[in-house]
Amino acid sequence: MRKQIAAANWKMNCTYQQGEQLLDDILSANIALKEHQQTIFAVPFPYLIMAKSETENENNYFVAAQNCYNKKSGAYTGEVSVEMLQSIGIPFVVLGHSERREYFQESNKMLAEKVDLSLQYDITPIFCCGEPLNIREAGTQNSFVEVQLKESLFHLSEKDIKRVVIAYEPIWAIGTGKTASSEQAQEMHAHLRSVLAKQYGAAVADEISILYGGSVKANNAKELFSQPDVDGGLVGGASLNAAEFTTIISSLK
Ligand code: PGA
């Protein structure tokens, strides 16, 4: 079975102490993950080492960075490189979140460079894609998201694309409380898988986990995750509440 993943995206929230408490509360629920299930905490940079040590002895619980820079090293004041993440043992990085694309002008090309660097340093990219409301209203979301994949991922070899996790996050559903219906999510996830299959073949496409993100909550996770092509979620707001997020973890297939 494909990996089923509950990924928490804390964004720019929590103090160090609040973050530590949140992790303690979630981990003390002792939810045993099956072999094919993973929980990932994408925390702010200053908390990565703390979160890593909190999760170190937990089976299939991991930590992710929320971003990295698209250059190896050098005079880029304030930026964080993939090599730095690797040197503290971080296995995942979220790339191309719509907030990065919108507020920090991250282009598909820049994201392709970030994807390449992450893979080079053995860090799994959680690559985000998704359309804004006007594109959804015009009904052109399928081709919009397809271009995001093509321009940032389709230069990868068959071996490397299998190392990427994809997160479909319709922008109109992020932080708005307006979740895509499970049918809308399934429809897009099936489309993404068919686009991957066209490029890499059905067997490869079948191995790639595609997460849904956008107002995933304790009360809708089970239904969303039960869709055949939805392999878990990337969760913002609800991941900041231990009771909500533990229910979301428990909703994985
Ligand atoms: P949300 O955020 O769950 O608060 O909608 C999801 C995300 O942006 O990753």
Side-chain angles (χ1 to χ4, degrees), residues 126-141:
I126 301 174
F127 177 81
C128 304
C129 59
E131 80 285 356
L133 185 60
N134 64 321
I135 295 287
R136 171 63 64 163
E137 282 173 349
T140 52
Q141 66 274 11

Side-chain angles (χ1 to χ4, degrees), residues 6-252:
N9 177 11
W10 288 8
K11 309 191 181 186
M12 199 177 75
N13 291 298
C14 296
T15 61
Y16 184 95
Q17 290 74 13
Q18 289 165 340
E20 201 170 31
Q21 185 65 53
L22 179 58
L23 283 174
D24 280 343
D25 291 345
I26 293 168
L27 295 171
S28 64
N30 276 323
I31 303 171
L33 298 175
K34 303 201 177 91
E35 191 49 42
H36 68 278
Q37 296 174 330
Q38 295 180 334
T39 293
I40 302 172
F41 298 98
V43 305
F45 290 129
Y47 312 161
L48 284 170
I49 291 177
M50 173 275 284
K52 188 172 160 52
S53 82
E54 287 269 337
T55 52
E56 208 125 57
N57 297 320
E58 308 284 339
N59 211 19
N60 288 349
Y61 285 80
F62 301 100
V63 174
Q66 296 177 10
N67 182 34
C68 67
Y69 200 47
N70 63 326
K71 299 277 188 275
K72 261 194 174 162
S73 65
Y76 303 103
T77 302
E79 291 298 330
V80 172
S81 74
V82 195
E83 188 181 36
M84 294 172 187
L85 299 176
Q86 188 202 41
S87 70
I88 56 166
I90 301 305
F92 292 92
V93 61
V94 176
L95 294 178
H97 190 280
S98 61
E99 289 148 19
R100 302 287 325 165
R101 293 174 185 266
E102 185 182 347
Y103 306 138
F104 303 95
Q105 287 74 48
E106 295 197 2
S107 65
N108 292 341
K109 180 175 168 288
M110 183 193 231
L111 292 169
E113 293 165 359
K114 293 188 182 198
V115 167
D116 287 345
L117 276 172
S118 322
L119 292 171
Q120 203 177 315
Y121 284 89
D122 258 332
I123 297 184
T124 301
I126 301 174
F127 177 81
C128 304
C129 59
E131 80 285 356
L133 185 60
N134 64 321
I135 295 287
R136 171 63 64 163
E137 282 173 349
T140 52
Q141 66 274 11
N142 284 5
S143 54
F144 183 91
V145 176
E146 196 170 330
V147 170
Q148 291 181 319
L149 250 56
K150 278 191 175 148
E151 294 188 358
S152 298
L153 299 181
F154 281 7
H155 62 286
L156 296 176
S157 67
E158 197 178 297
K159 186 170 140 273
D160 280 345
I161 190 81
K162 289 201 270 188
R163 299 165 63 204
V164 176
V165 172
I166 293 173
Y168 167 62
E169 300 206 305
I171 298 171
W172 46 272
I174 296 178
T176 57
K178 204 172 159 191
T179 323
S181 67
S182 49
E183 292 78 22
Q184 283 172 320
Q186 169 55 26
E187 195 182 8
M188 177 57 91
H189 284 225
H191 171 66
L192 292 173
R193 208 176 297 289
S194 79
V195 170
L196 289 163
K198 221 174 353 163
Q199 182 74 12
Y200 293 100
V204 171
D206 203 45
E207 280 187 44
I208 299 174
S209 298
I210 308 179
L211 317 185
Y212 168 78
S215 299
V216 175
K217 307 279 177 219
N219 64 12
N220 60 22
K222 190 120 204 153
E223 156 130 26
L224 284 161
F225 298 174
S226 70
Q227 300 302 311
D229 286 291
V230 178
D231 305 311
L234 179 56
V235 186
S239 74
L240 299 171
N241 177 296
E244 281 273 324
F245 194 60
T246 47
T247 304
I248 292 169
I249 300 173
S250 308
S251 305
L252 288 172

